[in-house]
Amino acid sequence: MMFYSILGPFFPKEAENKGVSNTVIGMIFGCYALFDLVASLVFGKYLVHIGAKFMFVAGMFVSGGVTILFGVLDQVPEGPMFIAMCFLVRVADAVSFSAAVTASSSVLAKAFPNNVATVMGSLEIFSGLGLVLGPPLGGFLYQSFGYQMPFIFLGCILLLMVPLNMCILPNYESDPGEHSFWKLITLPKVTLIAFVINSLSSCFGFLDPTLSLFVLEKFNLPAGYVGLVFLGLALSYTISSPLFGLLSDKMPHLRKWLLVFGNLITAGCYMLLGPVPVLHIKSQLWLLVLILVINGISTGMSVIPTFPEILGCAYENGFEEGLSTLGLVSGLINAMWSVGAFIGPTLGGFLYEKIGFEWAAAVQGLWALTSGLAMGLFYLLEPSRRKRSKLQNILSTEEERTALLPDEIQP
């Protein structure tokens, strides 16, 4: 997560110096998510065949190597060659990162089946720490030692983690399941939660190629301080995620409303991020940081309940309990996050050029607003839908018993 977050403060400016447009910069950020999407679906489906431990360790090893390679891209000549190498390295890292994340989520859910949300929320502490430490550390290393040092430093840390995890991680064996991603994603509740995940990741991804440029242009901050602006978002997400995880496990009935209201609050945050000109609110640095802090909390509120909600829905609809279903759920969540993380930077870079940061952020907010309202409407209608389904099952059972009755009373 540190490697994922260090690009925001200085890579857009470095790419601009190489003659890359804002739209292409957004595509460089976005292609990561596109290939993460494809890889997540593949790795989720074949997790049991490959082995969760091997998938995690191999993914981490490759990711460490390509992180170091990203650090030597400044030696590549500007123009098409530089752009092509950026895409190539980002794609390789996306595939390896997808393998590690899909495997790790499945292993954790298998190891702690009764506290999935708490464990996922606790894991987000360390994901959040990566997001928190990445921008300021990356900005410091970039200003002090140049472009290469942040990537070499983080790549070496990743490679050092490989032998450690080879020793620590348990091996889990499981039989391949009968169900597919298609059956999972076509469940109405899972489809809507996938839309929620899309909207949240798109909002997050939107900030990568746009926020640093907006802050540099609007407030004239040096690159090192731009990283501190990202700090508010990441820190609030880090602190709030385990709390929402614990709340989700202790009071499962609250999960759905955490999902809904988290989305609605996120929508409001993006309307105020610029702020959108129709509100006639002056853009100020303290307001921007405050909105990012609230956005971090609202994102944690929405993201953490998604895994147990989808997993519970899968079990209710006949999916077998085991590593196979956990792999499908983990891969699906990672894939849906990647869809939004591709659209967010790509569309964000384009809209930033065409209509400016304020209106572009408002467009992102509309996506979160739509998904939040759709999810809320589903949950409001869910009790009546379940009653209707239960009534149909009772009537169907009665009809079967009535049809069998004449046969039963014959001598």
Side-chain angles (χ1 to χ4, degrees):
M1 292 309 295
M2 287 177 72
F3 172 57
Y4 185 84
S5 64
I6 62 170
L7 297 178
F10 62 85
F11 180 75
K13 203 68 183 173
E14 193 76 26
E16 276 188 343
N17 294 337
K18 291 277 191 178
V20 184
S21 68
N22 284 330
T23 302
V24 175
I25 292 172
M27 290 174 68
I28 291 170
F29 277 97
C31 78
Y32 181 98
L34 183 64
F35 282 87
D36 191 15
L37 157 67
V38 177
S40 295
L41 294 174
V42 174
F43 290 136
K45 176 66 176 173
Y46 295 104
L47 176 74
V48 174
H49 302 79
I50 298 171
K53 181 175 181 177
F54 176 78
M55 187 185 289
F56 179 77
V57 172
M60 188 178 294
F61 176 76
V62 175
S63 185
V66 295
T67 300
I68 294 172
L69 286 178
F70 207 94
V72 299
L73 288 180
D74 63 328
Q75 305 299 317
V76 178
E78 65 180 52
M81 178 64 75
F82 175 78
I83 294 171
M85 291 305 297
C86 284
F87 276 114
L88 186 63
V89 174
R90 287 287 280 175
V91 166
D93 190 57
V95 173
S96 57
F97 179 80
S98 171
V101 169
T102 301
S104 64
S105 299
S106 303
V107 168
L108 284 170
K110 177 71 174 176
F112 305 96
N114 299 319
N115 300 286
V116 174
T118 302
V119 171
M120 294 299 173
S122 301
L123 187 68
E124 290 305 304
I125 294 176
F126 301 97
S127 295
L129 280 174
L131 291 170
V132 167
L133 296 175
L137 180 63
F140 169 74
L141 292 174
Y142 173 72
Q143 282 193 322
S144 303
F145 304 102
Y147 175 83
Q148 297 180 0
M149 186 52 68
F151 301 102
I152 294 172
F153 175 73
L154 292 179
C156 290
I157 289 178
L158 273 173
L159 292 176
L160 287 173
M161 292 297 102
V162 171
L164 181 67
N165 281 278
M166 287 175 70
C167 298
I168 291 175
L169 277 187
N171 276 312
Y172 287 116
E173 301 295 333
S174 182
D175 296 325
E178 301 174 359
H179 300 291
S180 64
F181 275 114
W182 181 247
K183 183 176 179 183
L184 184 62
I185 193 64
T186 50
L187 297 172
K189 184 176 180 179
V190 175
T191 302
L192 285 171
I193 295 176
F195 184 42
V196 166
I197 295 169
N198 288 164
S199 69
L200 292 170
S201 62
S202 177
C203 288
F204 252 35
F206 163 79
L207 299 176
D208 288 332
T210 59
L211 184 61
S212 63
L213 296 175
F214 174 71
V215 170
L216 287 168
E217 179 186 327
K218 197 81 174 177
F219 306 109
N220 298 314
L221 292 178
Y225 288 96
V226 173
L228 296 176
V229 175
F230 283 86
L231 193 66
L233 173 67
L235 194 59
S236 60
Y237 177 73
T238 302
I239 294 170
S240 64
S241 290
L243 299 177
F244 287 125
L246 189 62
L247 191 63
S248 291
D249 280 332
K250 296 295 182 185
M251 291 181 277
H253 61 280
L254 288 181
R255 284 177 192 156
K256 54 187 178 184
W257 301 118
L258 290 175
L259 261 173
V260 172
F261 286 109
N263 263 261
L264 298 179
I265 295 169
T266 298
C269 288
Y270 277 79
M271 299 293 178
L272 293 168
L273 203 56
V276 65
V278 294
L279 297 177
H280 303 292
I281 300 173
K282 185 182 177 183
S283 181
Q284 299 180 70
L285 185 60
W286 70 266
L287 179 63
L288 178 72
V289 173
L290 176 62
I291 293 302
L292 288 172
V293 169
I294 297 171
N295 185 28
I297 296 170
S298 65
T299 303
M301 189 186 298
S302 295
V303 168
I304 298 305
T306 55
F307 197 104
E309 280 288 285
I310 293 178
L311 190 61
C313 183
Y315 289 156
E316 285 174 10
N317 286 274
F319 282 69
E320 62 274 3
E321 295 190 21
L323 198 59
S324 177
T325 300
L326 293 172
L328 288 177
V329 173
S330 178
L332 178 66
I333 289 175
N334 198 29
M336 293 302 103
W337 185 271
S338 300
V339 172
F342 170 71
I343 297 172
T346 307
L347 183 62
F350 174 76
L351 291 176
Y352 181 87
E353 280 189 339
K354 300 299 180 184
I355 59 176
F357 180 83
E358 293 87 347
W359 282 108
V363 171
Q364 289 292 332
L366 285 175
W367 191 349
L369 179 65
T370 304
S371 65
L373 291 175
M375 199 77 238
L377 185 62
F378 174 85
Y379 280 129
L380 287 172
L381 297 175
E382 190 178 32
S384 61
R385 185 181 57 81
R386 286 194 172 187
K387 283 180 183 177
R388 191 162 57 249
S389 177
K390 189 175 180 181
L391 184 61
Q392 286 175 349
N393 289 336
I394 292 171
L395 290 173
S396 177
T397 305
E398 288 295 329
E399 286 175 3
E400 288 176 5
R401 289 172 62 185
T402 304
L404 292 171
L405 195 58
D407 296 330
E408 293 173 0
I409 60 175
Q410 284 179 3

